[in-house]
Amino acid sequence: TLAHRVSDDYQGYKGLINPEKRLLLDQDVRSNVYGQFNSAASLALIDDSGVLIGFTCFVDVEMWGEKRVPWLFDICVHPDYHSLGYGKGLLNLSLNILKKEGLKYSGLAVTNNNPALGLYQNMGYTFVENFYEYFF
């Protein structure tokens, strides 16, 4: 949750910074509300003392003419571990798992000012289209 506080991606979703609401969202994800939860590619990195450093969360959705597209639903690295390669390492492991399963595509949505945008581009994600959300 702390890592999400430093991202502008939650500008319109301030409630998701709340740990209880994040937990409810996680329960929905694991209950396949947003697509089939992909447990093989969803990873957690925990240090020797049991502290969660970061995680990836993928759900499989039908899109782009494909029956199964792994969607990066969430990736998060604790701020104390930013810029140390943990996000890249986690995402790389997840994508390698997906490639071994023979999947051709993976998708994600991100704001233009998210600091992780460079990571996604370096990992091979390419821009497809703008996505707009409106709040009132």
Side-chain angles (χ1 to χ4, degrees), residues 66-85:
E66 299 287 330
K67 292 283 184 195
R68 182 177 172 214
V69 175
W71 191 265
L72 180 59
F73 191 86
D74 203 357
I75 182 171
C76 187
V77 174
H78 190 285
D80 291 350
Y81 297 92
H82 282 184
S83 300
L84 298 175

Side-chain angles (χ1 to χ4, degrees), residues 5 21 23 43 47-48 61 66 76 93 103 111 115 119 127:
R5 287 189 182 132
K21 290 187 179 183
L23 195 58
L43 306 174
D47 73 9
D48 292 337
V61 296
E66 299 287 330
C76 187
L93 285 171
L103 296 165
T111 57
L119 167 67
F127 175 79

Side-chain angles (χ1 to χ4, degrees), residues 28-129:
D28 284 348
V29 169
R30 291 178 180 275
S31 297
N32 303 319
V33 170
Y34 302 101
Q36 180 67 42
F37 178 67
N38 188 318
S39 60
S42 298
L43 306 174
L45 179 61
I46 301 169
D47 73 9
D48 292 337
S49 64
V51 173
L52 178 65
I53 294 173
F55 65 87
T56 59
C57 178
F58 281 84
V59 295
D60 295 334
V61 296
E62 186 174 336
M63 64 186 317
W64 301 325
E66 299 287 330
K67 292 283 184 195
R68 182 177 172 214
V69 175
W71 191 265
L72 180 59
F73 191 86
D74 203 357
I75 182 171
C76 187
V77 174
H78 190 285
D80 291 350
Y81 297 92
H82 282 184
S83 300
L84 298 175
Y86 290 109
K88 181 178 181 179
L90 277 166
L91 187 54
N92 189 49
L93 285 171
S94 292
L95 294 176
N96 283 334
I97 289 167
L98 297 171
K99 288 176 189 174
K100 286 180 183 175
E101 292 182 2
L103 296 165
K104 298 187 283 186
Y105 304 105
S106 172
L108 61 84
V110 64
T111 57
N112 289 330
N113 61 346
N114 186 309
L117 187 59
L119 167 67
Y120 302 141
Q121 292 167 335
N122 289 336
M123 297 300 295
Y125 285 94
T126 57
F127 175 79
V128 175
E129 64 185 332

